[in-house]
Amino acid sequence: MRPSPRLRAALAAAVIAPLVLAATACAPDADSTSDGGAAGADTIIVDSVYGEVTVPAAPERVAAISYDTPWQVMSLDLPVVAAIDYTQWIDGYTEDQQAYIADAAKVGSYGEVNFEALAGAAPDVIVGDAYEVDEATFTRLSEIAPTVIVGGDERGDWQSITEDLATALGAHDTWEEAKASYEARRDEVKEQYADVIAANTWANFSLGNEAGQFSIQLPSGSTGNLIVNEMGLAYGDGIPLDTDDGAGYVSLPLEQIGTVLDGVTVGLTYENPDGTKMPAIQDVIDSSLFQQLEIAKTERVYGLVSNVTDYRTAEEWIDELTAKVLEPLSQ
Amino acid sequence: MTTLATGGRWKLRRPPDAVVLPIVVLLLLTAVAASIAVGSRALTFDELFAALTAPTGTETDLIVRDVRLPRTFIGIAAGSALAVAGVIMQTLTRNPLAEPGLLGVNAGASFAVAIAIVVLRVGDFGATMWFAFLGAALASALVAVIGGVGRGASIGRLTLTGVAIGAVLSAATAALSLIDPHAYQSLRLWGAGALGGRSFDAAVLTLLVVAVGLVLVVLIAPGLGLLALGEDTARALGGQVGAARLGGFLAIVVLCGAATAAAGPIAFVGLLVPHALRAVFGPDTRRLLIYSALAGPILLLGADVLCGVLIAPRSIPVGVMTAFLGAPVLVALVLSRRVQAEGAPS
């Protein structure tokens, strides 16, 4: 089973520390492209979280070593020669995703890069996420191949993260296409289901950090960003819109559930590809406090499988939202 | 605790039960009341009273009856169980650092929960409770068989066996959780140590099991008192050393198994409470057992209340808070004992 964004956020919090890196991250600058000098004609210079990096203008052997990065590279129509070991989560991925990483070298587990295996994959560029790669790791990675670490403005800023990757990997055109396709679909759905969107207040909840808690995705989280900023779905009045810890979600005691979800008319959560929900999420739903909510009484709690990492998966999420939620609600 | 100067030396005067017992009971009642009254949602006295006496299914009723009461019950049961088990462990092993982790109890419970989640795909908390209890019992029994019987049996051997088996089981649990992220997630929630998220029925069941364990402790308390003097002395005084050790061991399994199954591995309660009480009451095992049963819940419920209010509406796992509270107190106790040993007034 693929870990939920919540789990990955928790894992990331445990493995990497400096969320402040996001604040210092800056997008690779297309204007900084070099056509010569010390870097040579077939290289470009891009800005990344840890400074300027000279990378091949058209890389052929990309290693994607953070959890979401292979899928973000996949959205750019580029192959990867190395990624972390996804064996334990593989059932949670689509057939296309499984095929995409089938031949990639396994170069460690989540948050722990196997440098020797990575060197053995002979990448000509390494890409990763600042939430999982600290500066010391970046330095070691740079000894293997030019390394670009992206961060975006916050954990859920997949727009900036994928744009930075696209710039670094010379795939900006593909990124533009994916973005245009996504935006067209987004706008189409927003227009088609404007009434449903406007008539409801929304929440995206999941399991909490400990037993007896639940979590709410913030607009700074990947799905929260999509819900609030992109789709314009209005969160309920009781839902916190941001915290200062950068995790993209907030975990709260169960007795807050009435306060936080008061007035919410549609609840979104995560579910497995087989339609089941993680036990800790099911525990939240089964609790008496949740069951007295309007969304439980009206059976307006929907599980979505899609995990948002880039424009393409965001578009898939919108498609799933449309089929499972917006269309039924519009009847 | 007070001291008297006698002939230039300071001698401890133990406070009488008639004075201390009512105070401790009052503190326990206060902790229980605070546990029910204080939470991330502010409730009025009328709401609390109505929820406890005439619930009608309102949200506040549900908060009190389905969230706070189970938390409080688990806190009472786990606090008593861990503290009393700590006294028994320290008495049996004559090791001042003995606590529920020492005999493989926590590791056994964690491993069994991991097996339940990874292999058997058990997700229900009530079911994992039983696995945790079984794991604690089996691990403790294994430690007893390997380290506590046969030729060469000794407290040191028992302790080393407990540490070794605990380490092996912990490693196996870590391996299982790494194999399966689903298990990692569930074990992460369980392993943080928390009083919340348990059903009313699970809380009542935990209370009942701990009550059975405490009854067993009452039965073996005289034997434990003799054992505290040392095995040779206990035998010389006619004590049934074997029976006391077996009874003590069973009590540890029941108490720690129930507490760990219900609340996850919670550190420091079983270590801190006996030491703190020993500083007040001295080495009297009977008093230590009684006051540990009362003081354990005070510490655990107090820590849980603090967890809920310090960064409200979010909270800190109670296992983290007990460590935060326990470590400095333990260090203070160690330092004060050194001062006493050097002859300074306490």
Side-chain angles (χ1 to χ4, degrees), chain B:
Chain B
M1 181 171 60
T2 58
T3 55
L4 286 177
T6 55
R9 300 185 64 179
W10 293 88
K11 187 179 177 183
L12 200 63
R13 174 190 283 174
R14 307 296 179 197
D17 288 334
V19 173
V20 180
L21 193 58
I23 295 174
V24 175
V25 170
L26 189 63
L27 284 173
L28 175 58
L29 292 174
T30 304
V32 169
S35 178
I36 296 172
V38 179
S40 65
R41 275 283 298 272
L43 302 180
T44 66
F45 178 80
D46 289 344
E47 288 174 325
L48 287 167
F49 188 76
L52 293 170
T53 57
T56 56
T58 62
E59 184 184 354
T60 53
D61 292 348
L62 296 175
I63 287 174
V64 173
R65 295 179 71 86
D66 290 355
V67 177
R68 296 189 185 178
L69 275 183
R71 286 182 80 99
T72 305
F73 288 170
I74 295 284
I76 293 170
S80 280
L82 293 173
V84 170
V87 175
I88 300 172
M89 283 183 165
Q90 288 163 20
T91 303
L92 286 183
T93 63
R94 300 183 68 76
N95 180 346
L97 293 178
E99 54 93 32
L102 191 71
L103 295 184
V105 177
N106 287 347
S110 300
F111 182 64
V113 170
I115 290 285
I117 294 170
V118 176
V119 180
L120 303 176
R121 297 287 169 185
V122 172
D124 177 63
F125 177 76
T128 56
M129 255 190 81
W130 287 109
F131 277 96
F133 188 79
L134 187 66
L138 288 177
S140 305
L142 186 62
V143 170
V145 168
I146 296 174
V149 298
R151 295 182 65 181
S154 68
I155 295 305
R157 183 172 150 176
L158 184 75
T159 305
L160 283 174
T161 307
V163 170
I165 288 180
V168 170
L169 291 176
S170 296
T173 304
L176 281 172
S177 67
L178 288 174
I179 288 171
D180 187 340
H182 171 76
Y184 171 86
Q185 187 161 307
S186 298
L187 286 168
R188 182 179 63 82
L189 291 176
W190 183 81
L195 306 183
R198 281 63 173 160
S199 69
F200 190 88
D201 291 345
V204 171
L205 177 65
T206 307
L207 270 178
L208 289 175
V209 175
V210 169
V212 169
L214 292 178
V215 169
L216 180 59
V217 173
V218 170
L219 296 175
I220 63 169
L224 286 174
L226 289 176
L227 264 180
L229 303 173
E231 288 197 17
D232 293 339
T233 305
R235 285 197 178 89
L237 293 173
Q240 298 291 319
V241 172
R245 286 180 67 178
L246 178 62
F249 193 80
L250 286 175
I252 288 169
V253 170
V254 172
L255 294 172
C256 291
T260 308
I266 292 181
F268 274 104
V269 177
L271 185 63
L272 171 63
V273 172
H275 277 285
L277 293 175
R278 202 172 279 117
V280 178
F281 298 115
D284 183 340
T285 305
R286 183 187 62 85
R287 295 182 92 190
L288 286 179
L289 290 169
I290 293 170
Y291 284 106
S292 289
L294 300 170
I298 296 172
L299 172 64
L300 197 50
L301 291 173
D304 191 51
V305 169
L306 277 179
C307 287
V309 299
L310 283 182
I311 56 169
R314 288 181 279 177
S315 72
I316 305 164
V318 73
V320 174
M321 182 59 75
T322 54
F324 268 122
L325 292 175
V329 175
L330 207 57
V331 169
L333 283 171
V334 170
L335 292 176
S336 70
R337 286 188 175 200
R338 188 179 66 186
V339 170
Q340 278 183 281
E342 291 168 350
S346 61

Side-chain angles (χ1 to χ4, degrees), chain A residues 1-4 6-8 10-11 14 88-89 207-213 243-245 249-259 278-281 283 287-289 292-293, chain B residues 38-42 57-60 62-63 66-68 71 123-125 177-182 184-186 188-190 192-198 313-318:
Chain A
M1 182 191 72
R2 184 181 187 181
S4 70
R6 264 288 301 107
L7 170 59
R8 289 185 289 113
L11 285 167
Q88 55 187 325
W89 308 299
L207 72 164
N209 283 347
E210 60 180 279
Q213 296 195 353
T243 63
D244 55 4
D245 60 9
Y249 72 94
V250 59
S251 181
L252 298 165
L254 204 55
E255 61 184 71
Q256 281 286 321
I257 207 163
T259 304
M278 284 181 282
I281 293 179
D283 284 347
S287 68
S288 59
L289 280 168
Q292 56 90 37
L293 294 172
Chain B
V38 179
S40 65
R41 275 283 298 272
T58 62
E59 184 184 354
T60 53
L62 296 175
I63 287 174
D66 290 355
V67 177
R68 296 189 185 178
R71 286 182 80 99
D124 177 63
F125 177 76
S177 67
L178 288 174
I179 288 171
D180 187 340
H182 171 76
Y184 171 86
Q185 187 161 307
S186 298
R188 182 179 63 82
L189 291 176
W190 183 81
L195 306 183
R198 281 63 173 160
R314 288 181 279 177
S315 72
I316 305 164
V318 73

Side-chain angles (χ1 to χ4, degrees), chain A residues 151-191:
Chain A
D153 292 332
E154 53 202 6
R155 181 68 174 166
D157 185 12
W158 40 267
Q159 295 101 320
S160 295
I161 289 172
T162 51
E163 182 174 17
D164 294 353
L165 283 173
T167 304
L169 299 176
H172 212 271
D173 290 347
T174 310
W175 177 81
E176 291 277 10
E177 288 174 18
K179 181 183 179 196
S181 172
Y182 156 82
E183 288 176 345
R185 178 65 175 147
R186 178 197 64 190
D187 294 342
E188 174 193 10
V189 171
K190 285 173 71 173
E191 182 179 346

